Amino acid sequence: MDLEEAYQVVGEFGPYQKRAIAGLVLIQVYMACQSMLIVLVGAVPQYQVEQKDGGSSGQPELQSVSFTDDVDSIVTEWFLIKQQAYKVNLAGSLFFAGVLVGNVVFGPLSDKIGRKPVFLTGLFFEVLFGYATALAPSYEVFAVSRLLVGLMNGGIGLVCFVLTQEYVGKSYWAMTGTLTNMTFAVGIALFAALGYYIRPWRDLATAANSPGILFFLLCVTLPESPRWLYSRGQTERAEEVLRYMALRNGKTVTNLTLRRVGTGKPGNRDDRGTGVLQLVTHPVLRWRTMVLMYVWYACSLVYYGLTLGASETSGSRYVNVAMYGLVELPAYPLCIYFINKHWAGRRKSMASFLCLAGSACLCTTLVPENTGALLSVTSLALLGKLMVSAAFNIVYVYTSELYPTVIRNAGLGVCSMSCRVGGILAPFVPSMRALHSSMPFTVFCLSGLTAGCLGLLLPETLNRPAAETLEELSNPACSRVLESKVHLYKDDQWKSNHK
């Protein structure tokens, strides 16, 4: 039988898969805390610089710095003010630079040697480097530790997302992917609450990092992805994992034999060429990757650009950080509803949300500054962020379905790399106000609209079987045969259940 048929027998989302997915989804809370750590530990309090006479003539004046706010951060410990103030932003940039590299390195690595070993190794070292952050004796050690934490965070984030989908049947991919992204947003709000009650920055860094130990211990017992094993030609091991899932799901499986594929055979062309290079040389993958890279870039540019604009408000920094995550939550029920409807699907939903985000940014250029709270630049910017958050969630799920299993992590890694480029450029867009006050939102508008239109050129993946090998992607006949088998099997199951 085919892999999708096997999941129908084993259980697409049985009790065992629910427990495994719950652990992987909750890891997003830990990863969100690491991503947002610099926002609170790098808080800059109000301060005063007093000039003091050096005493005798010829000596330079001494400066005394006094912080007027009761804040314990890396700024107050290492006096990162004035000429040293750039070091706070540098630490944040180093983290996201590490995330970018981790996206590129860990994706192909997990496609080559397996999901589980790469994921557990990355999680172990992220926890280790996280404690190095909390115990850093100097700024230099702190900055290097943030780079290394970002490297691990970016890598395991991709592998964790892929595992939440490869453990279940394809019909549940949208749900597990949405839960993963939604939990990350909740993690941002929880980190704000943690920071409110734990003020010393070293204690906060330790508390935010410690749950990683628990998650590591929980994930040690997870099996390797049966989809990855199957795509690499390790059919016997894939069958063992599927039987184990069936047993834990309370199902008795007497005859579970997967159809042998040629991916793992020596001399197979697809096996030798699997990797990042295939994203360039394979004609189908090359086109999809080019479009997806721009879509990911635009999502990141608009998302982080609007976030920076919406967060420029007075008030408690903890409330602002919490709103940074909570404003995204309404987007996820919208995603789950639309992407599973046959008249919308992945492609149209993603394109529509991107165009709506661009339209909201366009409207901000037409609304006067001093308007009511219901219709203002801030409310339209938040509406745009809500829309682009929905698009961002869909593009994660959609991308994983557009790439075959043998190269899925490599594809996600390259797309995430372009995503980080958009995030790096986003802070520079507001400076375009020097040219015209409407320029930043014009950039976000054009980015959202063009990405939405380009996304319509991609194929729909709703209710279609996931490709496991490059051969299935290149040969439409293989996909049609697999799809017809899955539909026939589902019809037989429906008839047997309604007799």
Side-chain angles (χ1 to χ4, degrees), residues 217-234:
L217 295 176
L218 289 174
C219 293
V220 166
T221 59
L222 291 178
E224 181 56 89
S225 164
R227 290 185 183 275
W228 180 83
L229 292 170
Y230 183 69
S231 69
R232 302 298 293 183
Q234 302 180 37

Side-chain angles (χ1 to χ4, degrees), residues 286-299 346-356 395 398-399 402 418 445-460:
R286 180 171 60 245
W287 170 247
R288 291 185 183 181
T289 301
M290 289 173 60
V291 174
L292 287 170
M293 284 181 69
Y294 182 75
V295 170
W296 279 69
Y297 159 80
C299 283
R346 277 70 159 148
R347 179 173 63 98
K348 292 179 182 178
S349 297
M350 181 191 72
S352 299
F353 280 122
L354 279 169
C355 290
L356 287 173
V395 77
Y398 191 30
T399 302
L402 285 171
S418 63
C445 167
L446 294 176
S447 299
L449 293 176
T450 53
C453 293
L454 278 176
L456 291 173
L457 301 177
L458 295 169
E460 181 56 69

Side-chain angles (χ1 to χ4, degrees), residues 170 338-346 401 460-464 483:
K170 188 176 181 294
F338 283 107
I339 63 179
N340 288 316
K341 297 296 182 180
H342 66 88
W343 46 266
R346 277 70 159 148
E401 294 177 347
E460 181 56 69
T461 59
L462 178 64
N463 296 328
R464 296 183 182 179
E483 186 173 1

Side-chain angles (χ1 to χ4, degrees), residues 22-37:
L24 292 171
V25 166
L26 288 175
I27 287 178
Q28 298 301 314
V29 175
Y30 167 71
M31 297 181 64
C33 290
Q34 291 290 2
S35 299
M36 299 298 295
L37 186 69

